[in-house]
Amino acid sequence: MSDETPLGLALDYSRARADFLAAAREAGARLRTFVLPGHRGPDGGELGVDTAYLGPPDPAKLLVTVSGTHGIEGFCGSACQTRVLLREGVAQAAAGPATGVLLVHGLNPYGFAYLRRVNEDNVDLNRNFVDHGAPPHNDAYDAVHGTLVPAAGGEFVPSELVAHLTALRDRLGPQRLQEAVTRGQYRHPDGLFYGGQAPAWSRRVFETVVAEQMAGAAHVGYIDLHTGLGARGVGEPIFRGGRDADAHQRARRWYGEALTASEQGTSSSTPIVGNTATAVADGLGADSRLTAITLEFGTQPGPQVLLALCADTWLHRYHAPADAVRSDLKRLIRDAFCPDDAEWRGRVLQRAWEVFDQAIAGLADDK
């Protein structure tokens, strides 16, 4: 069996990482690796966050893309970085005397390797960038946790969970249920969208990358690559910052009418807390500008994605990682975040190219 799909999306973490590193070397990028301590992949291989940089030592403008914040979503993000930015030469063409391109690959390598959205401690990294001394508790999640994470008791029966989730959705309504589940929660370590009790290893790595590879730039265009929300195959640019008064309008100029905002109710994503763009905003200088988005590719309807997340949480709660990753239940989460569908994958790569071009043009026009 080939290690890749016909459209170049790797079938496992090790191949995705090897492809990215090979493409980065071929492009002449400067590489840096952070190895996750105390863990190995299902194949016994190393797990790490890799960065690849093209451009001058101290760029005034910087395009940053991140893959794998949510582990298994890294298959899509890695392909966008490897196939579009590196192999198609988009990053090399964008880099210039004053402009750099930084690719952060596999920010959550454990989740990437074990086909999970969360990290080695069941932490949702995109809810981890908060003050853990005073976390933003989500009371609404407390009321739904017992349904989302059913207690042990024999085999996992998807049809039973579907019935419970449907009843919950009928009672609360789809919007209220999504808000309760996805906002982020800090009281249930075995639950969904758990933001952790302390900065995760990947958060500390990312903050180091921000401080050492982003902080000197006057303007950062930031794209965090995700899957699982919205219409199938559509790449939705969701506004995530920065903090200057013109940030939202600037992002609108870059990405046009397709730009959405969770806080304005125009996005497939409800408002969330503790995402990676927070670290970039915090780490840049007071005079720097940030134009940040999540590029979100839709896969399946929300109820199917939620079922996959619940099933995967149950699977890893009651099975060792090596057993869980080989379970037939993994097909649910794989379909929810990296569909085995050539048309979907082709649309993703084309849309990524369009959005990368928009970001590059936006940075170039910035004065």
Side-chain angles (χ1 to χ4, degrees):
M1 179 184 292
S2 170
D3 288 328
E4 297 179 351
T5 69
L7 286 169
L9 276 73
L11 296 176
D12 61 53
Y13 164 78
S14 296
R15 174 52 55 189
R17 186 186 187 202
D19 285 353
F20 173 80
L21 291 172
R25 292 187 185 101
E26 291 166 8
R30 280 164 273 178
L31 290 168
R32 187 176 184 186
T33 293
F34 303 83
V35 176
L36 175 63
H39 295 277
R40 308 290 290 186
D43 60 357
E46 178 183 270
L47 302 176
V49 178
D50 301 291
T51 68
Y53 176 74
L54 297 107
D58 298 302
K61 302 175 183 179
L62 183 64
L63 173 66
V64 180
T65 69
V66 178
S67 68
T69 299
H70 282 147
I72 191 171
E73 299 177 28
F75 288 102
C76 171
S78 174
C80 293
Q81 292 175 319
T82 302
R83 305 293 155 185
V84 179
L85 286 171
L86 294 173
R87 290 259 157 82
E88 296 295 337
V90 174
Q92 296 92 308
T99 302
V101 179
L102 176 65
L103 287 66
V104 182
H105 183 270
L107 185 58
N108 170 10
Y110 183 93
F112 201 159
Y114 283 91
L115 308 181
R116 304 210 68 196
R117 219 174 142 273
V118 294
N119 78 347
E120 58 276 10
D121 297 312
N122 196 50
V123 170
D124 183 323
L125 185 60
N126 219 32
R127 309 295 187 275
N128 188 244
F129 292 85
V130 299
D131 175 3
H132 290 278
H137 289 306
N138 175 7
D139 293 337
Y141 179 87
D142 297 342
V144 301
H145 174 74
T147 302
L148 302 177
V149 187
E155 293 298 313
F156 180 85
V157 182
S159 60
E160 292 182 1
L161 181 56
V162 167
H164 292 311
L165 292 176
T166 300
L168 189 62
R169 187 169 60 254
D170 290 345
R171 179 165 58 85
L172 297 178
Q175 183 75 11
R176 284 182 60 201
L177 177 58
Q178 182 182 356
E179 291 172 355
V181 174
T182 65
R183 181 174 180 82
Q185 56 89 13
Y186 301 84
R187 293 175 176 148
H188 303 272
D190 61 342
L192 276 65
F193 296 87
Y194 173 58
Q197 296 181 346
W201 175 83
S202 290
R203 170 180 169 171
R204 299 194 302 271
V205 166
F206 191 64
E207 289 173 338
T208 298
V209 171
V210 171
E212 298 181 1
Q213 296 184 258
M214 301 185 207
H219 192 170
V220 172
Y222 182 75
I223 302 174
D224 195 7
L225 297 154
H226 287 262
T227 62
L229 282 177
R232 188 175 180 86
V234 173
E236 176 190 352
I238 306 171
F239 180 68
R240 294 294 186 218
R243 295 171 178 165
D244 63 284
D246 190 45
H248 189 269
Q249 286 305 313
R250 183 171 60 246
R252 175 75 65 176
R253 291 194 295 272
W254 288 21
Y255 300 110
E257 293 302 311
L259 184 77
T260 65
S262 301
E263 289 74 17
Q264 295 178 2
T266 58
S267 174
S268 63
S269 169
T270 55
I272 64 174
V273 294
N275 62 73
T276 60
T278 301
V280 183
D282 288 344
L284 294 180
D287 296 329
S288 296
R289 290 182 300 283
L290 170 65
T291 309
I293 63 167
T294 293
L295 180 56
E296 183 80 46
F297 293 101
T299 54
Q300 294 182 335
Q304 291 175 249
V305 174
L306 181 57
L307 172 65
L309 290 172
C310 293
D312 200 62
T313 301
W314 179 91
L315 182 63
H316 282 266
R317 184 178 184 182
Y318 299 114
H319 295 80
D323 295 329
V325 77
R326 293 192 296 266
S327 169
D328 290 343
L329 280 175
K330 279 295 179 183
R331 172 49 59 187
L332 290 175
I333 197 164
R334 184 113 196 190
D335 289 346
F337 295 103
C338 186
D340 187 12
D341 176 341
E343 180 182 359
W344 180 85
R345 295 175 182 208
R347 291 177 67 186
V348 162
L349 294 176
Q350 178 60 40
R351 179 59 174 150
W353 192 315
E354 294 170 357
V355 173
F356 292 155
D357 275 353
Q358 289 174 320
I360 291 165
L363 279 172
D365 288 344
D366 178 58
K367 306 302 181 185

